[in-house]
Amino acid sequence: MDIIKDINRKALPKHVAIIMDGNGRWAKQKGMLRTFGHENGTKAVKRVVEASAELGIKNLTLYAFSTENWKRPKLEVETLMRLLVSSLKKEIKTLKDNRIKLCAIGSLKTLPAKVYSELLEVINATKQNSHMTLTLALSYGSREELINSVKEISIKVKNNIISPENIDESIINEHLYTQNLPDVDLLIRTSGEKRISNFLLWQIAYAELYFTNTLWPDFTKEHLYESIIEYQKRERRFGKTSEQLS
Ligand code: FPP
C-alpha cells in the first residue's frame, strides 16, 4: 500500500518529536532480553530518520534516553550507551549522505566519556548540513531543562543584562536546549502509552499528539507516513475559532 502519495508535501510538520517506547515489551513478547529490543529499536531509528529526510521534514527529535533512564539495570544502561556509540559510528555516512545535521539536547556531560566524545565528533562532522536537523535527547528531562533556563535568566537579571519585565516567550526559548529549533508540531509516542514523560513540555504547547499501539522496533516508514496523514487531517487552531481560520 503506497500511502506516501496521500501526504501533502507543502504542509509537513516542521518539527516531529518521537517518544520511542516499547522496546522492552517487544523483546519480552519474543522471549528475549530487553536489550534485544533496544538493538532492534536502532533499526527503527534508521528507518524513521531516512524516511523523514526523504519526505523533507526539517527537524526530527528523538527521545533516546531520559534522566530517569539512569535508574534502569546496569546492563541495560550499558547496552543503550554501547548502541549509541556504535550507531553514531556506523551511521555517520547516512547522516552525511542525507545532509543531516546531528544535534543533542540534555545533560550531556553526565554521559559516559566515550559516548560524549563520539557524539561531539559526529555533531562536529555534520554541523554544515542543512537538509534536516536530527536531535537526540540524551539524559534529557524537560523540568531540568526549564530549571536550567530559569537559573541562567536569573543570573542575567542579577547582572542587569535582562530586566524582569522584558522576560517573554522568546527569552525563555533562547535559554532552552532547543533554542535553535521551532516548536514541535507533531509528537508521536509508540507502544500504547499516553503520557508525555517529561519530554519537551514547553515546546509541545501546541503540538498535535499522536499515540499508536505499535511497539517502537516495529515502527516502519509507513507508520510515520500514517502519523503525518493524521496530523494533516487535524485543524490546528492555536486558540482561535474555526471561522477565524477560514
Ligand atoms: C523505550 O523502550 C526506549 C528507550 C528507553 C530507549 C530508546 C533507544 C533506542 C531506540 C536505541 C538507541 C537510540 C539511538 C538514537 C541509536 P522501553 O525500554 O521503555 O520499552 P518498554 O516500555 O516496553 O519497557
Side-chain angles (χ1 to χ4, degrees), residues 5-226:
K5 62 176 179 2
D6 296 332
I7 295 177
N8 176 358
R9 302 295 183 108
K10 293 201 177 77
L12 289 173
K14 288 186 194 63
H15 186 178
V16 177
I18 309 182
I19 302 174
M20 310 181 288
D21 199 7
N23 293 353
R25 275 163 286 166
W26 185 88
K28 198 171 172 207
Q29 283 175 3
K30 296 187 156 40
M32 304 293 280
L33 293 175
R34 296 176 56 79
T35 48
F36 181 67
H38 296 315
E39 280 160 20
N40 282 276
T42 61
K43 295 180 190 163
V45 169
K46 187 175 161 72
R47 289 194 292 268
V48 167
V49 168
E50 286 176 348
S52 302
E54 280 159 19
L55 275 178
I57 289 168
K58 297 309 285 180
N59 300 282
L60 175 68
T61 299
L62 303 177
Y63 207 177
F65 197 85
S66 72
T67 43
E68 291 76 25
N69 286 153
W70 292 111
K71 296 184 202 133
R72 291 195 174 192
K74 195 163 171 270
L75 170 73
E76 185 169 344
V77 172
E78 281 171 4
T79 302
L80 280 166
M81 294 299 146
R82 184 176 49 75
L83 281 173
L84 258 168
V85 174
S86 62
S87 303
L88 287 167
K89 279 191 199 299
K90 208 163 76 192
E91 301 305 340
I92 187 156
K93 189 172 177 323
T94 313
L95 297 177
K96 285 182 172 170
D97 289 350
N98 289 285
R99 290 176 291 124
I100 298 169
K101 170 157 89 179
L102 185 80
C103 293
I105 54 171
S107 184
L108 304 179
K109 294 262 163 66
T110 63
L111 295 168
K114 209 162 181 291
V115 180
Y116 186 66
S117 64
E118 191 63 38
L119 194 61
L120 288 195
E121 201 175 314
V122 181
I123 288 173
N124 200 37
T126 59
K127 66 176 184 230
Q128 308 295 352
N129 293 342
S130 59
H131 179 61
M132 182 175 95
T133 298
L134 168 63
T135 303
L136 298 182
L138 291 166
S139 194
Y140 173 87
S142 187
R143 287 188 172 178
E144 186 181 81
E145 176 185 34
L146 287 164
I147 292 167
N148 282 342
S149 96
V150 171
K151 282 184 185 162
E152 283 180 22
I153 295 169
S154 307
I155 292 168
K156 290 185 183 171
V157 167
K158 195 171 146 199
N159 294 331
N160 294 318
I161 298 167
I162 295 176
S163 63
E165 55 279 12
N166 288 341
I167 296 175
D168 59 7
E169 287 192 13
S170 65
I171 289 195
I172 308 252
N173 276 327
E174 284 161 24
H175 291 83
L176 296 174
Y177 301 142
T178 51
Q179 53 188 219
N180 299 316
L181 294 172
D183 275 358
V184 175
D185 293 315
L186 171 62
L187 175 73
I188 299 171
R189 183 170 189 150
T190 58
S191 90
E193 307 291 352
K194 295 182 179 67
R195 287 189 291 277
I196 305 300
S197 302
N198 203 14
F199 190 43
L200 303 173
L201 298 177
W202 169 276
Q203 299 87 337
I204 60 163
Y206 289 101
E208 291 298 330
L209 308 181
Y210 181 85
F211 299 106
T212 169
N213 289 333
T214 306
L215 302 174
W216 180 250
D218 286 331
F219 200 83
T220 60
K221 293 185 175 196
E222 284 69 30
H223 289 112
L224 178 74
Y225 302 154
E226 275 170 25

